[in-house]
Amino acid sequence: MKLIKKQLLALPVTPLPQKPQRPKDGREYDYIYTAAAHENILAMELYPWDARPSKEGPKYRVFCTGDRWINYNVSEGKWGTGTLEHIGQSPEGYWRGNQFIPADTSSADAGQQVMGAYLKAGKEKDTAKLVREMQFMVQREQERVKLQKAREETEDIFSNWPDLPQGWEKRLEDGPWNHSKYCFYQKTPRDSLSLAQKLIEKELPGTNQPYIGQCTACGKSFGLPGPLDHTSGKPIAQGTYQCPCCGAWLHPKKAGLGRGNLWESKYLLLATAREGRVYLELIYASREYKQPPFRTRCWHEYRWLLDTNNNTTAMWRYERSQWRKMEQANEPPNIAYTMDSSVEEAINATRLRYAKGLIEKNGLIRTAAALTKFPALELVDKVGNPSWARGVIWRHPFAKRAINLKGKTMKEVLGLDKGELARAKTQCETCFELFVFQALRREGKWYTEAQKKTVKSILNPKKILKIAELTGMAKALNYVEKQRNSASVTRRSVADMIALWADYLEECRILQYDLADPYNQMPPDLMTAHGRTMQLVSDMQDEGLNIQLKKRLAHLKKYAYAAHGLIIRPAQSIGELKAEGAALHHCVATYAQRYVNGGTIILIVRRQKEPEVPFVTVEYRNNRIIQARADRNGAPPKEVTEFLEQWEKQLKSEKRTKLAIAC
């Protein structure tokens, strides 16, 4: 595959033929592209709108054939399989697709040679549309193949799935329904007595029971001497009654009063063990008491397979009349279930029996799945701190960094000898602390109480790790604590200092400082150094944007206008945008990049007597005013609103005049 990628990168890059012009259709495009066909490969180059022909390379390169695609991020040097629809976007931007426009006619038609024949598309579709359609086709085919493969694997496994453990129906009936077993009683209907019974009742009163009870546990009926009391226990103690047929203790309920609303449901987990494999099945059971017979109905919900021989796990959910495989084995979501006695028998039949304590404390399925996949977890639980094993089970982000779950001995798994392990067990409460302890030991240092206090205050461990790669863990922790206690810092937390340091180092990289120099890595006064580098980076970025903006201002002169003591003109620089936002207390400075790239137009309204004093800021896009904001995002005064209406009429009249002259 590496050889193929090298061959793709060796294909010639199609440069931009000229400076791209913003289209007149009013749409916002994300990229301008060039394309060329190389036999059965279509190579596309995606350029940003501010790219300069023959001087700047593409941002992305996309390679397509009839059955696959791949893209290359030029600036980061990374390969990816993201589609054109979302290339270059963050997950937050997936709600909309990228918009493309060809750099010239040859780029628009280049896809016909490769993609057009494959998709049997007409010439009305350009390259970007053809590639997008091909990507969706390939994606759907890959998903279909993946789904078919998962379905075949599921069918193969379920064909050998063992039957549910014996006697589970009886245990289900006897077990979880104790608090919903009822005795429905009612007065004996006189019509139900035979003639002989009526004569006996007349001669010997009390011989026939005046009330009839019905047990929901066994479904049988029996005579009662009188109505059952629900609260006082008369004649039955504590408001319950024992069935004379099956011996179950029942709750008295008068027949016909709210009986239709009496129902209960339970989840029951069953298990079977076979040759080192544990087959778990969660069933949903429901009972209703509207009318006899009172039966328990069951449905399959989830299945798990824990294979301790191959250290693999799998989970399925039954939905839409078929089993669907889940991404990973885990607890059923938001479901409280009762475990059948067969579960403990299945656990005892495999190596999972050696970690029963861990299973009891952290949840059966989640823990059993982790122990199945990682046999070393049992060793971590026995020789290490219990919180480390819990971190693996609950997928702590640093658990797999600190613990080698593929190891077999204590040294391989934890990377510590006996003496180090004894200290780590008492000092390290989390997997992140264990990771820091290991890093310090590799540097020949011990984990101190002062460092422990600092580590426990870290909110974003990834930042300190990135810094530690440059300075070392011991120096990083000591420097953070030293700077936090310096005179220039007041009431700064450890998390704030780490974020400040990370920002400073990133600014040093942008300014191309030598970060191998300890003085640049750890300046004596971090606050002062950060303020200096932040200003330098801001000036550098503003300078580059001002150069680009200067070229665009020549096309924005037509928006300048003056009348009734007011003037409107385009913003002249990035610094002016920042000053405008600071004076009027709004966020116009954040529009700088879009203004430079042509995504919008920022105009400023001033009084003719005070041309340097910020008054109102206007955003103009797609031939209309998007927004006009005065101080603190307030609405502009009436005089400004009327002035802007007159300005828009002037713009439209000038446009109509130009069109008339052109005709």
Side-chain angles (χ1 to χ4, degrees):
M1 188 62 185
K2 291 183 179 179
L3 182 62
I4 297 175
K5 289 180 179 178
K6 288 181 180 179
Q7 292 173 346
L8 292 176
L9 290 179
L11 294 175
V13 176
T14 309
L16 284 175
Q18 58 184 359
K19 179 69 177 178
Q21 299 294 325
R22 183 64 58 175
K24 298 179 180 180
D25 57 5
R27 296 179 63 183
E28 291 189 22
Y29 291 90
D30 299 278
Y31 296 101
I32 185 169
Y33 72 87
T34 59
H38 305 275
E39 296 182 359
N40 64 334
I41 299 175
L42 180 69
M44 296 177 63
E45 282 72 38
L46 308 185
Y47 294 87
W49 276 102
D50 55 351
R52 290 173 289 180
S54 71
K55 291 186 178 180
E56 294 185 16
K59 191 171 183 180
Y60 291 94
R61 298 190 69 185
V62 181
F63 305 96
C64 303
T65 63
D67 58 353
R68 64 176 303 178
W69 78 88
I70 194 170
N71 65 71
Y72 181 71
N73 188 327
V74 178
S75 59
E76 297 182 4
K78 294 180 180 179
W79 291 91
T81 56
T83 61
L84 285 181
E85 195 78 11
H86 299 134
I87 193 170
Q89 290 187 3
S90 64
E92 292 79 11
Y94 280 11
W95 59 272
R96 72 170 183 87
N98 287 325
Q99 301 295 325
F100 297 85
I101 194 169
D104 53 12
T105 336
S106 60
S107 295
D109 297 336
Q112 291 293 332
Q113 182 176 344
V114 178
M115 297 296 104
Y118 179 75
L119 295 171
K120 299 179 181 178
K123 292 184 178 180
E124 70 279 357
K125 296 182 180 179
D126 64 7
T127 300
K129 289 183 180 179
L130 289 170
V131 173
R132 187 180 287 116
E133 289 181 15
M134 182 278 299
Q135 290 175 342
F136 289 153
M137 286 182 62
V138 174
Q139 200 170 35
R140 284 195 299 269
E141 178 62 19
Q142 289 176 344
E143 291 174 354
R144 188 194 66 78
V145 172
K146 183 180 178 181
L147 185 62
Q148 180 64 24
K149 184 178 179 182
R151 188 179 292 116
E152 291 174 356
E153 290 177 353
T154 298
E155 291 176 356
D156 182 54
I157 292 173
F158 284 6
S159 63
N160 298 317
W161 198 272
D163 296 332
L164 293 176
Q166 294 182 355
W168 72 273
E169 297 96 336
K170 182 69 169 60
R171 293 194 294 273
L172 176 63
E173 291 291 346
D174 295 341
W177 315 107
N178 287 334
H179 66 284
S180 63
K181 292 181 178 179
Y182 303 106
C183 175
F184 295 122
Y185 66 90
Q186 62 180 345
K187 205 166 186 180
T188 305
R190 300 299 300 172
D191 294 341
S192 65
L193 297 177
S194 64
L195 180 59
Q197 288 175 324
K198 291 179 181 179
L199 292 173
I200 294 173
E201 176 67 23
K202 186 176 180 180
E203 296 295 332
L204 300 172
T207 303
N208 296 313
Q209 299 287 10
Y211 281 82
I212 296 177
Q214 187 177 31
C215 174
T216 60
C218 63
K220 295 182 179 180
S221 300
F222 41 83
L224 293 173
L228 303 180
D229 196 331
H230 299 263
T231 55
S232 64
K234 296 178 181 179
I236 309 300
Q238 299 180 356
T240 58
Y241 178 73
Q242 188 173 19
C243 175
C245 301
C246 65
W249 288 95
L250 310 175
H251 298 278
K253 289 285 182 181
K254 190 173 182 180
L257 295 182
R259 182 168 169 176
N261 296 325
L262 291 177
W263 70 279
E264 188 182 6
S265 62
K266 291 283 185 181
Y267 284 94
L268 181 66
L269 184 67
L270 304 164
T272 306
R274 180 195 290 174
E275 298 176 353
R277 298 180 181 88
V278 178
Y279 300 85
L280 293 163
E281 188 155 357
L282 189 71
I283 65 169
Y284 174 75
S286 175
R287 286 176 65 92
E288 295 183 356
Y289 303 102
K290 291 182 180 180
Q291 58 185 7
F294 310 113
R295 295 175 181 172
T296 303
R297 297 191 297 168
C298 299
W299 296 268
H300 298 280
E301 288 284 338
Y302 291 91
R303 278 182 174 177
W304 293 265
L305 173 58
L306 309 179
D307 190 345
T308 59
N309 299 323
N310 301 317
N311 301 335
T312 58
T313 63
M315 176 180 177
W316 296 267
R317 181 179 181 180
Y318 192 75
E319 59 182 12
R320 296 179 182 178
S321 303
Q322 63 180 356
W323 288 100
R324 182 174 66 88
K325 190 174 183 179
M326 312 295 283
E327 292 184 0
Q328 57 187 357
N330 210 339
E331 298 284 339
N334 302 321
I335 291 178
Y337 55 85
T338 303
M339 285 192 294
D340 183 64
S341 58
S342 60
V343 176
E344 186 175 358
E345 295 173 4
I347 295 296
N348 290 333
T350 62
R351 61 174 171 81
L352 300 178
R353 64 181 177 274
Y354 301 115
K356 277 187 177 181
L358 192 63
I359 292 175
E360 292 173 358
K361 294 177 183 177
N362 296 281
L364 170 71
I365 297 174
R366 180 184 289 107
T367 310
L371 287 165
T372 301
K373 291 177 67 175
F374 311 117
L377 185 59
E378 182 188 339
L379 180 65
V380 174
D381 179 48
K382 290 182 177 178
V383 304
N385 192 311
S387 63
W388 304 345
R390 189 160 54 249
V392 176
I393 294 169
W394 291 91
R395 301 184 181 94
H396 189 279
F398 281 87
K400 292 186 179 180
R401 290 194 184 192
I403 301 170
N404 176 21
L405 294 169
K406 295 182 180 179
K408 295 182 179 179
T409 64
M410 181 188 68
K411 183 68 175 176
E412 292 176 353
V413 174
L414 297 173
L416 303 172
D417 57 31
K418 289 185 178 180
E420 293 169 339
L421 179 59
R423 293 186 64 167
K425 286 174 66 175
T426 58
Q427 287 185 296
C428 304
E429 299 175 9
T430 64
C431 292
F432 177 55
E433 285 191 81
L434 176 61
F435 179 85
V436 172
F437 184 95
Q438 293 167 339
L440 290 170
R441 289 308 301 142
R442 287 193 291 269
E443 297 173 10
K445 308 288 185 181
W446 286 103
Y447 189 39
T448 65
E449 288 300 320
Q451 291 170 337
K452 180 181 178 67
K453 186 177 179 181
T454 302
V455 170
K456 290 178 74 68
S457 302
I458 295 175
L459 300 179
N460 191 344
K462 291 183 179 180
K463 285 189 177 181
I464 193 67
L465 291 188
K466 194 172 182 180
I467 293 171
E469 290 175 1
L470 185 66
T471 64
M473 184 61 72
K475 288 183 179 179
L477 295 175
N478 295 337
Y479 180 73
V480 168
E481 193 60 30
K482 180 181 177 181
Q483 288 296 315
R484 199 170 73 90
N485 296 326
S486 65
S488 61
V489 179
T490 56
R491 296 181 181 179
R492 289 273 185 173
S493 66
V494 170
D496 290 340
M497 291 307 303
I498 292 173
L500 192 73
W501 193 10
D503 292 343
Y504 162 77
L505 292 175
E506 184 60 30
E507 289 158 1
C508 288
R509 291 187 182 95
I510 295 173
L511 296 170
Q512 297 182 352
Y513 285 3
D514 182 15
L515 288 178
D517 186 350
Y519 183 84
N520 290 334
Q521 289 179 6
M522 297 176 286
D525 190 338
L526 180 59
M527 289 289 292
T528 304
H530 173 57
R532 183 176 61 253
T533 55
M534 183 172 62
Q535 186 60 47
L536 290 172
V537 170
S538 179
D539 294 343
M540 177 190 292
Q541 293 173 343
D542 289 355
E543 183 180 355
L545 291 175
N546 283 329
I547 293 173
Q548 300 174 37
L549 181 59
K550 188 176 180 181
K551 298 177 182 178
R552 193 179 180 221
L553 286 174
H555 304 284
L556 300 178
K557 291 180 180 179
K558 62 181 180 180
Y559 295 104
Y561 179 70
H564 308 298
L566 297 172
I567 58 174
I568 184 171
R569 62 175 175 80
Q572 300 296 307
S573 67
I574 303 303
E576 188 172 48
L577 277 184
K578 291 182 177 180
E580 184 89 357
L584 297 181
H585 307 93
H586 56 48
C587 60
V588 70
T590 61
Y591 289 69
Q593 188 68 52
R594 276 177 279 177
Y595 179 41
V596 171
N597 293 343
T600 190
I601 300 171
I602 303 298
L603 305 162
I604 53 180
V605 178
R606 304 278 172 88
R607 291 188 175 94
Q608 290 183 352
K609 294 181 180 180
E610 300 174 324
E612 301 302 324
V613 179
F615 186 30
V616 174
T617 313
V618 177
E619 181 186 8
Y620 189 77
R621 188 172 74 244
N622 298 337
N623 298 321
R624 64 188 182 92
I625 294 176
I626 302 301
Q627 56 181 330
R629 295 286 182 264
D631 188 24
R632 300 185 187 277
N633 282 316
K638 186 177 180 181
E639 58 173 326
V640 176
T641 304
E642 294 174 352
F643 169 72
L644 291 176
E645 290 176 357
Q646 186 176 349
W647 170 71
E648 281 193 290
K649 290 179 182 178
Q650 179 70 19
L651 278 179
K652 292 176 181 178
S653 64
E654 288 180 359
K655 188 175 181 180
R656 283 195 294 268
T657 303
K658 289 181 180 179
L659 289 173
I661 294 173
C663 295

